[in-house]
Amino acid sequence: MAEENKWKPNDGGENEEDEELDETAYKSAKDAVLFAIEVSPSMLIVPSPTDSKKPDTNTPVSAALKCAFALMQQRIISNPNDMMGILLYGTEKTRFQGEEQTPGGLAYPHCYLLIDLDIPAAGDVKALKTLVEDEEEFKKLVVPSEEPVSMANVLFCANQIFTTKAPNFTSRRLFIVTNDDDPHSKEKTMKSAAAVRAKDLYDLGVIIELFPISKPNHEFDREVFYNDIIYNASPADPEAPAPVSGAVKTSSTKDGISLLTSLLSSVNSKAVARRALFSNLPFEIGPGFKISVKGYIIFKRQEPQRSCYVWLNGEKAQIAKGISSQTADDTARAVEKVEIKKAFKFGGDQITFTPEEIASLRNFGDPGIRIIGFKPMSMLPIWASFRPSTFIYPSEDDYVGSTRVFSALQQKLLKDQKMGLAWFVARKNASPVIAAIVPGAEKLDDAGAQVMPPGMWLIPLPFADDIRQDPETTLIRAPEPLIDLMRLVIQQLQLPKAQYDPSKYSNPALQWHYRILQAMALEEDLPEKPEDNTIPRYKQIDKRAGAYVIDWGIELESQYQAWQSSSHPKPTAIKRPPSEQADGTTGAKRIKKSASVDVMSDADMKKAFDKNSVGKVRCSFYTSRPKNQQKNRDKSRYQELTRTQSTQLTLAELKPWLESKGIHTHAKKKADLVESVEAFFERK
């Protein structure tokens, strides 16, 4: 996130000790996106009314504008330096770069530049929001022309916009939204002219992305016209994997909601441009046998970005630029860079090194990937992937024929279920890594569109120093009946196709952050709560697996009781007969704490006290009582008590009796309980 680090000074290589891959170029590349939306009678057909609970009247044009509005809302916060623009073609009105054009001097007839290509401002977002929400304003603007529009003029207009507004941008893309798969079916000359203009855009470095919309009774066919003007490869990176987008289908009920949802999903999948993490890295398969590859970050955690610091104490807000300096501890004098030496602690001493010595210590050879062997895929444990993996793809820049060799190796590894082990140095001064080269097969969706291209993954493996000792745990394996019932629960709660689709679950914390910033920037009402798609659907869970969960809970209780009875058997208690008083009557009635606990009578406890058989150890009695009470007791009774062990009372007998007298027994040892009994009878 180069934008996030603007305030940090350029230390001129002070960060050489950072062993991670340098992703600055990957993150800081600017992107310019221009929407080209066709306006035609078929694109303005209102969907038929349905019985949906949330009926909608989104025409393809309005759905495309709302899609552009949603993307602009995201980009204005997450990518503040990216440019966006909207071009409507096929309209009755004509406007180019803010100027209305008369029919006599039309440079780009029937092309209406709604929003010029620029960094979106809050005013642009408000204007676009007003357009998509105000039906009257929308109908006045999107009036289709009676004359057909030339696709060559549309592409030339886009060429002019990119040339004047974003000449030095790394990524420039043109999003075409249309439902006409053959705009020049009867004019081959116009078709050839459009192909020439498309080649000019490709040479300029502009990627054309097509978002086709199928009609209710007609499937969009790319081969008729657009395959001649759409280049799947990136001009800046021809070998980059470029999945082909399928046609956005209208729903069977002709509901505009599904059209908008499909279009948003399709645009979001292409919202982030593909940029190489490292380019033309040598890939040595054998001695003297090298090809070149490029690496791409396919999965990257998205986090809120802070582009800059702002100083608000002046007349107007200004961007603050941070400057740091190093000072001496004793004199507070500014220390120059040439005065600083790097050192490492060893045995309490500071071992200094020159910059040349540091560079030589960190030099493990030129960057590259070198295969050192092959192993079965079964030998790669899941815990070995402890760092993000990199997707590698062949490049023809340095070694011609790299694609053919790379493809042969990938297919062979897939066929034999093998993986490669490689020595991997990502860049200069980077520490070497032992990595696994895992082949990846091509993945297609239900419509046949490519979701993941074929290639190979570079997975860094841990060294012995990176592996920690396992914690000491006692494994209690569940019994088979419990496992069988839980298997039924899991089967009822599986995701569709038993796969997790990350495109369906947005990061709620990130989206909430963007939503708050958007409301503050556009002066909207603050939302009450975030939209969180990760919250479990409890009603569906209860409907599908509620009964199975209850059955599992009952089985768990029975299994736990069986395990507890086998592991911890209950001690058997011996009942004592009631003693008789001197007058022949039965002793005092026992006070029961509960139905299952018997309490000794006072007479039995008094007899035990007189016989010195209340407890075995009473040494604490002599150390804790006052001296005047110690005189009333003879230590010979203690010695006699220690010799009498056959009639000692247990904790199970002492505690209930003391609690019946209102004496606290919690967290007391047996010696303390014995002392409490003796103190009770002494007070009498």
Side-chain angles (χ1 to χ4, degrees), residues 270-286:
K270 298 176 180 293
V272 181
R274 300 177 304 274
R275 304 185 183 104
L277 179 62
F278 52 80
S279 300
N280 303 327
L281 194 68
F283 184 13
E284 185 176 352
I285 302 176

Side-chain angles (χ1 to χ4, degrees), residues 355-373:
E356 292 77 13
E357 291 173 336
I358 292 289
S360 62
L361 286 175
R362 298 179 57 84
N363 185 14
F364 287 92
D366 295 332
I369 305 171
R370 184 171 71 249
I371 288 184
I372 57 179

Side-chain angles (χ1 to χ4, degrees), residues 57-177:
T57 57
N58 282 326
T59 63
V61 174
S62 63
L65 288 175
K66 289 181 180 180
C67 177
F69 172 67
L71 184 61
M72 185 178 291
Q73 284 180 316
Q74 297 174 6
R75 288 300 184 89
I76 197 173
I77 298 172
S78 60
N79 304 88
N81 292 327
D82 289 355
M83 287 186 177
M84 272 196 64
I86 299 177
L87 173 67
L88 304 178
Y89 68 93
T91 58
E92 187 68 28
K93 297 181 180 180
T94 300
R95 188 177 77 167
F96 182 72
Q97 293 185 344
E99 296 182 359
E100 294 280 353
Q101 297 185 0
T102 60
L106 296 179
Y108 308 104
H110 308 299
C111 293
Y112 191 92
L113 188 58
L114 181 62
I115 297 178
D116 202 356
L117 186 64
D118 204 346
I119 297 176
D124 298 331
V125 180
K126 290 180 180 179
L128 186 56
K129 181 181 180 182
T130 303
L131 178 63
V132 298
E133 293 179 353
D134 190 348
E135 294 184 3
E136 295 183 0
E137 189 69 21
F138 176 78
K139 291 180 180 179
K140 290 180 181 180
L141 179 62
V142 291
V143 178
S145 64
E146 297 179 358
E147 300 177 359
V149 65
S150 172
M151 287 302 298
N153 279 340
V154 174
L155 298 177
F156 187 55
C157 179
N159 191 327
Q160 186 69 15
I161 294 172
F162 282 117
T163 304
T164 56
K165 292 294 183 179
N168 299 321
F169 271 48
T170 307
S171 173
R172 291 176 287 185
R173 294 181 291 169
L174 175 64
F175 288 179
I176 300 178
V177 183

Side-chain angles (χ1 to χ4, degrees), residues 150 248 286 303 313 321 383 415 504 531 563:
S150 172
V248 178
E303 298 176 350
N313 293 333
K321 182 179 180 182
W383 52 261
K415 180 181 178 181
K504 295 182 179 180
E531 182 181 355
W563 171 81

Side-chain angles (χ1 to χ4, degrees), residues 263-468:
L263 196 59
L264 276 172
S265 176
S266 182
V267 171
N268 286 334
S269 65
K270 298 176 180 293
V272 181
R274 300 177 304 274
R275 304 185 183 104
L277 179 62
F278 52 80
S279 300
N280 303 327
L281 194 68
F283 184 13
E284 185 176 352
I285 302 176
F289 184 23
K290 294 182 180 180
I291 61 175
S292 58
V293 295
K294 293 187 178 183
Y296 299 89
I297 295 181
I298 304 297
F299 304 101
K300 183 68 179 177
R301 178 178 175 84
Q302 195 75 6
E303 298 176 350
Q305 299 184 13
R306 180 176 54 194
S307 58
C308 57
Y309 289 96
V310 180
W311 183 62
L312 300 175
N313 293 333
E315 297 180 357
K316 63 178 183 178
Q318 298 180 9
I319 297 178
K321 182 179 180 182
I323 300 176
S324 62
S325 61
Q326 295 175 326
T327 58
D329 291 338
D330 49 357
T331 61
R333 178 182 61 87
V335 180
E336 300 295 335
K337 186 177 179 180
V338 294
E339 303 179 63
I340 299 176
K341 292 184 178 180
K342 291 187 177 181
F344 295 92
K345 285 186 177 181
F346 184 80
D349 297 333
Q350 299 284 349
I351 311 299
T352 60
F353 291 88
T354 63
E356 292 77 13
E357 291 173 336
I358 292 289
S360 62
L361 286 175
R362 298 179 57 84
N363 185 14
F364 287 92
D366 295 332
I369 305 171
R370 184 171 71 249
I371 288 184
I372 57 179
F374 297 93
K375 292 290 183 180
M377 284 290 298
S378 57
M379 296 187 65
L380 180 63
I382 189 172
W383 52 261
S385 180
F386 76 115
R387 286 171 56 184
S389 57
T390 305
F391 185 78
I392 57 176
Y393 210 72
S395 171
E396 296 282 338
D397 292 345
D398 293 344
Y399 299 93
V400 178
S402 297
T403 303
R404 184 178 302 173
V405 175
F406 185 91
S407 177
L409 177 62
Q410 183 255 355
Q411 294 178 24
K412 181 61 176 176
L413 293 177
L414 269 179
K415 180 181 178 181
D416 296 346
Q417 289 296 304
K418 299 282 188 179
M419 67 173 181
L421 292 179
W423 171 273
F424 174 43
V425 180
R427 56 184 175 85
K428 292 183 178 180
N429 296 329
S431 297
V433 174
I434 300 297
I437 301 178
V438 178
E442 182 183 23
K443 293 184 179 180
L444 305 176
D445 59 9
D446 296 336
Q450 190 183 71
V451 178
M452 184 66 66
M456 288 190 283
W457 297 86
L458 204 62
I459 303 177
L461 300 178
F463 289 104
D465 313 83
D466 303 325
I467 302 175
R468 300 293 183 262

